[in-house]
Amino acid sequence: MNESEFLSLYFEDTEECVVEFEQALMEIEQGGHIKDAVDRAFRAMHTIKGNSGVFYFQDVVNFTHALEEFLDKAREQETPQFSSDQLSQLLGSVDLLRARLNFLKTGQGADSPLSTSLQWKPSPAKVPAAPKLEVATQGQEDWQIEFKPKLDLL
């Protein structure tokens, strides 16, 4: 297999990964199986990053690495939640990635290296109201004990 055949396979595989990434993001946006969708999006970026490194497409490697790191932080959450701005940036990254890959493949379009400022800022955890423990005995005052941990306790 010659280099152009390898490149052709790279672009086919990469487009499949971009489609998988985009579908996973739309599932996240619709509130589907978020954990599974985040895992699929992560794997898609991981694959593109590795394959792009073979051909020294360093800006693609750096861009997908940033997305991969962001998604990895989301994967660490029990129930990842994304702000509308984060989802908008993730979905916008699909267009940026496709435009860059098209330029690398055809030489047509804008030669704009990829970059992102996307950072994981998890939504504040929704802490359920602390259960109330009530102990009452006849003839004595009623006691109520409440425990409200700070959000950063864990």
Side-chain angles (χ1 to χ4, degrees), residues 35-101:
K35 276 293 252 192
D36 179 56
V38 170
D39 286 340
R40 289 192 342 262
F42 173 86
R43 284 192 304 275
M45 290 301 95
H46 183 74
T47 300
I48 293 172
K49 179 185 79 170
N51 292 348
S52 298
V54 171
F55 294 100
Y56 302 101
F57 297 145
Q58 197 58 46
D59 64 323
V60 177
V61 170
N62 294 341
F63 186 74
T64 53
H65 180 70
L67 293 171
E68 182 186 45
E69 281 187 330
F70 174 84
L71 292 165
D72 194 39
K73 286 189 170 56
R75 288 170 69 189
E76 293 172 1
Q77 306 301 309
E78 188 172 321
T79 307
Q81 295 182 2
F82 297 88
S83 70
S84 59
D85 183 54
Q86 289 169 330
L87 275 173
S88 178
Q89 287 184 58
L90 285 167
L91 287 165
S93 70
V94 172
D95 296 332
L96 293 172
L97 192 53
R98 278 196 173 119
R100 183 62 179 162
L101 292 168

Side-chain angles (χ1 to χ4, degrees), residues 141-153:
E141 292 183 34
D142 290 343
W143 291 80
Q144 181 177 335
I145 300 172
E146 224 174 283
F147 176 69
K148 292 183 180 181
K150 292 182 181 180
L151 289 177
D152 62 347
L153 177 68

Side-chain angles (χ1 to χ4, degrees), residues 17-48:
C17 288
V18 171
V19 167
E20 177 64 26
F21 179 64
E22 184 175 38
Q23 288 173 345
L25 294 177
M26 291 192 309
E27 189 172 327
I28 292 167
E29 185 177 45
Q30 295 168 359
H33 300 291
I34 294 175
K35 276 293 252 192
D36 179 56
V38 170
D39 286 340
R40 289 192 342 262
F42 173 86
R43 284 192 304 275
M45 290 301 95
H46 183 74
T47 300
I48 293 172

